[in-house]
Amino acid sequence: MDVANIEVEAPPSRVWDLVTDIAGYHRFSPENTGGHWTGGEPVTVGATFTGGNRHGMIRWTTHCTVVDVLPGQRFSFQSDEPKARWTYEVQPTETGTRITETREIYGTPAWYVRLIQRSRLIGSDRDALMQQGMHDTLTAMKRYLENRA
């Protein structure tokens, strides 16, 4: 499991709104190009969405299902193709909020995902790239949250 976290000087409610805004996630992630809800009530267990991604010239779509929501505290979804579960936890601190992002592989990725990963078209060390991307995403969120009026 990969884990990254950061503390931000912003209230938990603002952080929650940010980590559950799948359409705007591209503003922070080095690979995500945005997403949109495709079924169910957004930000509830069972809701579905697609997410766009890119790495260099390679672009792909993932199909995701929300699997855990504790309003204002935890948002978790599974991405079908890579069999990855992403979770965002929002915890109040004395000066703001701690954001924790985790990525856990819960199964064997689809055959075509494994093929692309082995080709190195989306990075030679995908796990290291994902860990760095999580750090970069949280750093970009912090910058946005702390510089927003």
Side-chain angles (χ1 to χ4, degrees):
M1 178 184 327
D2 298 315
V3 178
N5 57 61
I6 200 164
E7 290 198 26
V8 299
E9 292 180 15
S13 61
R14 281 193 43 223
V15 174
W16 177 255
D17 290 345
L18 200 67
V19 301
T20 58
D21 177 17
I22 61 147
Y25 203 70
H26 66 282
R27 298 174 292 172
F28 312 109
S29 170
E31 284 191 348
N32 184 272
T33 60
H36 69 276
W37 295 102
T38 57
E41 180 69 28
V43 194
T44 63
V45 172
T48 58
F49 64 92
T50 58
N53 299 280
R54 63 141 176 70
H55 184 92
M57 302 261 316
I58 306 298
R59 294 182 179 276
W60 67 96
T61 299
T62 56
H63 299 85
C64 305
T65 303
V66 177
V67 294
D68 188 24
V69 176
L70 184 55
Q73 298 176 46
R74 185 175 51 247
F75 176 64
S76 183
F77 61 89
Q78 293 183 169
S79 183
D80 295 342
E81 294 81 6
K83 302 297 185 217
R85 181 178 301 114
W86 294 88
T87 300
Y88 295 88
E89 292 185 346
V90 176
Q91 303 164 306
T93 66
E94 287 185 24
T95 59
T97 307
R98 180 186 248 337
I99 311 168
T100 302
E101 179 179 16
T102 61
R103 178 185 77 115
E104 180 179 5
I105 303 303
Y106 65 88
T108 303
W111 68 270
Y112 54 90
V113 172
R114 294 190 315 269
L115 182 67
I116 294 290
Q117 288 172 337
R118 280 190 217 119
S119 75
R120 298 182 179 212
L121 289 172
I122 56 174
S124 60
D125 185 346
R126 192 71 183 146
D127 288 331
L129 240 154
M130 292 287 89
Q131 183 67 41
Q132 184 62 49
M134 291 166 62
H135 172 75
D136 293 348
T137 296
L138 294 181
T139 299
M141 285 180 172
K142 176 182 177 75
R143 191 170 32 253
Y144 174 83
L145 287 161
E146 291 181 353
N147 291 324
R148 190 171 155 205

